[in-house]
Amino acid sequence: MSEAKQRNFWENDPEENESEKFAIPVEMTWEEAEKVAQETRSQINLRGWCLWRLRNLKGRKICLIRDYNVRNYPTEYPAFSLEELEMLPDDMPNTTLNLIIRAKILGDAIIESVEERNK
């Protein structure tokens, strides 16, 4: 049995590969997610921000920042503070996240609270 090819989420930028398509959602293992979380924490501790490409949202990029006191992050991408990220539910649909990102792009919005609606 051959080993599965390890994916490197940090060095191989799909934007540089013209054949890369974002039509197929990517499922990450818990181990892969933990590696991404560790690298994210490392980058945020080092420089205050980390750029993410959201493959399940057609490759859209967002910038995770420690907080809104960070000034040296790439402002051409919508920014999410770690506090905002913690407010978002784990089971939030991609369509809702896409709307939040659009609100941030169009209105420089900041998430102040997230209230769950009764179903």
Side-chain angles (χ1 to χ4, degrees):
M1 183 186 290
S2 66
E3 283 188 37
K5 182 181 175 189
Q6 277 201 322
R7 293 181 285 177
N8 185 328
F9 295 99
W10 302 100
E11 294 176 7
N12 303 324
D13 187 350
E15 192 170 61
E16 295 173 4
N17 184 351
E18 291 181 26
S19 65
E20 182 73 24
K21 302 294 180 205
F22 296 102
I24 301 171
V26 174
E27 295 291 328
M28 294 176 75
T29 65
W30 282 107
E31 292 80 18
E32 289 172 330
E34 183 56 36
K35 285 180 185 178
V36 170
Q38 287 174 356
E39 182 64 21
T40 298
R41 283 190 292 271
S42 172
Q43 291 298 313
I44 287 175
N45 287 337
L46 180 68
R47 60 184 178 188
W49 60 273
C50 182
L51 201 58
W52 274 9
R53 176 182 300 281
L54 304 175
R55 292 182 50 93
N56 293 352
L57 288 178
K58 299 181 181 175
R60 189 181 294 265
K61 288 183 182 179
I62 64 170
C63 190
L64 301 181
I65 57 176
R66 182 182 318 106
D67 55 46
Y68 283 99
N69 292 321
V70 173
R71 296 289 175 230
N72 60 344
Y73 66 91
T75 57
E76 63 268 27
Y77 303 110
F80 284 79
S81 70
L82 293 180
E83 183 179 1
E84 286 177 304
L85 201 61
E86 287 292 321
M87 286 186 227
L88 301 178
D90 293 337
D91 61 348
M92 185 173 62
N94 287 344
T95 53
T96 303
L97 181 56
N98 215 357
L99 287 172
I100 293 169
I101 291 170
R102 291 194 53 78
K104 284 184 160 285
I105 291 170
L106 297 173
D108 199 26
I110 295 174
I111 300 170
E112 291 187 1
S113 70
V114 175
E115 298 175 16
E116 291 191 33
R117 291 172 43 147
N118 295 336
K119 294 181 180 181

